[in-house]
């Protein structure tokens, strides 16, 4: 999987984020040299111990400032664009920012580009996020046709804002509201996502120009996920499945844990279908239940000393 990666200079745009740290770990283990490019490089300094002396460097870059991206990708063999926002300036970061990275990579003569999109990217998405991701894909394809586009579903892992957020919510009260109980998704393990990046970069002749839907082996509903998390953490709240009109109203109120656009994202299933995915990159997807209990233990009432009901 990692053949030919040694000493290649790979730029990770946004490499200090949740997914970025795992991508960095995978590429450093393969012997690549990394340049971590993000707005505040100090936020990514924790990556230094993952590699050898001089194997990682850090530069300040912002996808909304093209001159900084041009400087960041200069001399690179490959670029991985992890930059994206779930709220805020969708068009500036997810769409225009993607175009900036692709254009800069092309101008710099970079051999390979991997661009992170999202499984819900679509021109007709009900959410501005989904539409901006689709616009970003189109811009990348126009500027750098050989780019590999990765479309992950919800990504889970030890530091995620997905399983941790819901697990914490289960212990807050006797009743847990459930929005869009029947919506389906295929959460994908962050380590598998990182391995997909390494596989795409290691075999550019196979992956160039491809779009991969990165999804886990389990198809869950929102209600199913919450019930599983409750069992894994030893909580027994009552679940109240809210009707859509009430859920939409809650998303419109200030200070609620879900934005209006995130509510719109939940209006459609987030599943891969028959699209090429992890298997096409030689990766066996990891089930949620096989790894998540290792970090969900912190949400049990008595931590790892808690005894779960049979």
């Amino acid at each position: 999987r990692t053949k030919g990666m040694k000493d290649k200079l790979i730029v990770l745009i946004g490499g200090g984020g949740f997914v970025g740290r795992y991508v960095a770990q995978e590429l450093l283990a393969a012997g690549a040299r990394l340049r971590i490019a993000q707005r505040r490089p100090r936020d990514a300094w924790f990556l230094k111990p993952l590699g050898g002396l001089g194997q990682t460097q850090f530069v300040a870059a912002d996808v909304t400032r093209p001159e900084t991206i041009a400087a960041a990708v200069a001399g690179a063999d490959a670029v991985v664009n992890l930059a994206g926002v779930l709220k805020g300036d969708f068009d500036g970061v997810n769409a225009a920012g993607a175009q900036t990275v692709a254009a800069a990579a092309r101008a710099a003569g970079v051999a390979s580009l991997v661009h992170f999109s999202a499984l819900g990217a679509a021109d007709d998405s009900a959410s501005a996020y989904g539409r901006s991701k689709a616009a970003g894909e189109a811009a990348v394809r126009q500027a750098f046709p050989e780019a590999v586009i990765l479309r992950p579903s919800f990504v889970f892992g030890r530091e995620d804002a997905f399983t941790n957020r819901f697990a914490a919510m289960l212990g807050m009260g006797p009743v847990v509201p459930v929005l869009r109980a029947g919506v389906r998704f295929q959460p994908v393990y962050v380590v598998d996502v990182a391995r997909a990046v390494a596989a795409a970069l290691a075999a550019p002749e196979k992956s160039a120009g491809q779009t991969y839907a990165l999804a886990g082996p389990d198809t869950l509903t929102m209600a199913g996920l919450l019930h599983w998390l409750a069992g894994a953490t030893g909580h027994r709240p009552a679940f109240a499945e809210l009707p859509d009109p009430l859920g939409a109203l809650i998303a419109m109120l200030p200070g609620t844990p879900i934005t209006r656009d995130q509510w719109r994202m939940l209006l459609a299933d987030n599943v891969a279908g028959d699209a090429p995915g992890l298997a096409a990159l030689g990766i066996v997807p990891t089930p949620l239940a096989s790894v998540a209990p290792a970090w969900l233990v912190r949400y049990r009432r008595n931590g790892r000393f808690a005894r779960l009901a049979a």
Side-chain angles (χ1 to χ4, degrees):
R1 185 178 74 239
T2 57
K3 184 179 179 180
M5 301 282 284
K6 185 171 177 58
D7 294 328
K8 292 289 181 68
L9 176 58
I10 302 175
V11 177
L12 301 187
I13 309 291
F18 164 51
V19 175
R21 71 175 63 197
Y22 287 89
V23 174
Q25 185 170 332
E26 195 74 20
L27 297 179
L28 287 169
R33 294 178 295 129
L34 296 189
R35 182 183 295 159
I36 310 297
Q38 58 185 65
R39 284 182 296 174
R40 293 181 299 274
R42 70 181 64 179
D43 293 345
W45 285 352
F46 68 89
L47 295 173
K48 286 183 180 181
L50 298 182
L53 184 64
Q55 196 177 359
T56 310
Q57 59 180 258
F58 303 84
V59 299
D62 187 332
V63 296
T64 64
R65 298 174 57 198
E67 70 280 3
T68 68
I69 298 299
V73 303
D77 295 296
V79 173
V80 180
N81 182 25
L82 292 148
V85 293
L86 282 167
K87 58 182 178 180
D89 187 9
F90 294 128
D91 291 332
V93 176
N94 298 345
Q99 196 280 332
T100 293
V101 172
R106 173 58 74 213
V110 172
S112 302
L113 171 64
V114 175
H115 173 70
F116 268 75
S117 184
L119 198 55
D123 293 330
D124 59 352
S125 172
S127 73
Y129 171 80
R131 295 192 299 274
S132 71
K133 281 295 191 180
E137 288 187 12
V140 167
R141 280 278 175 254
Q142 183 173 16
F144 204 118
E146 318 92 275
V148 177
I149 293 176
L150 301 181
R151 293 175 141 199
S153 181
F154 297 108
V155 182
F156 66 88
R158 184 173 295 274
E159 307 86 358
D160 70 32
F162 178 64
T163 61
N164 287 297
R165 181 180 182 182
F166 288 125
M169 183 177 67
L170 293 174
M172 291 182 178
V175 179
V176 173
V178 183
L179 301 178
R180 297 289 295 159
V183 69
R184 300 182 305 141
F185 43 87
Q186 292 176 266
V188 60
Y189 188 31
V190 66
V191 174
D192 294 339
V193 172
R195 289 171 177 166
V197 175
L201 291 176
E205 69 286 347
K206 173 184 175 183
S207 59
Q210 297 296 312
T211 297
Y212 297 97
L214 306 186
D218 306 312
T219 299
L220 303 173
T221 63
M222 182 64 74
L225 171 68
L226 292 174
H227 281 278
W228 183 83
L229 287 171
T233 57
H235 293 290
R236 295 183 177 180
F239 292 101
E241 298 184 6
L242 303 184
D244 284 352
L246 181 55
L249 178 62
I250 290 173
M252 295 175 64
L253 299 175
T256 56
I258 185 171
T259 67
R260 188 181 307 183
D261 200 69
Q262 288 168 344
W263 162 258
R264 292 181 180 130
M265 288 169 59
L266 293 175
L267 295 177
D269 289 337
N270 196 261
V271 294
D274 297 327
L278 290 170
L281 291 165
I283 299 163
V284 178
T286 304
L288 177 68
S290 69
V291 290
W295 65 82
L296 293 175
V297 65
R298 76 187 80 165
Y299 298 104
R300 298 179 190 172
R301 191 174 303 279
N302 296 306
R304 65 180 64 254
F305 299 101
R307 178 177 297 176
L308 299 184

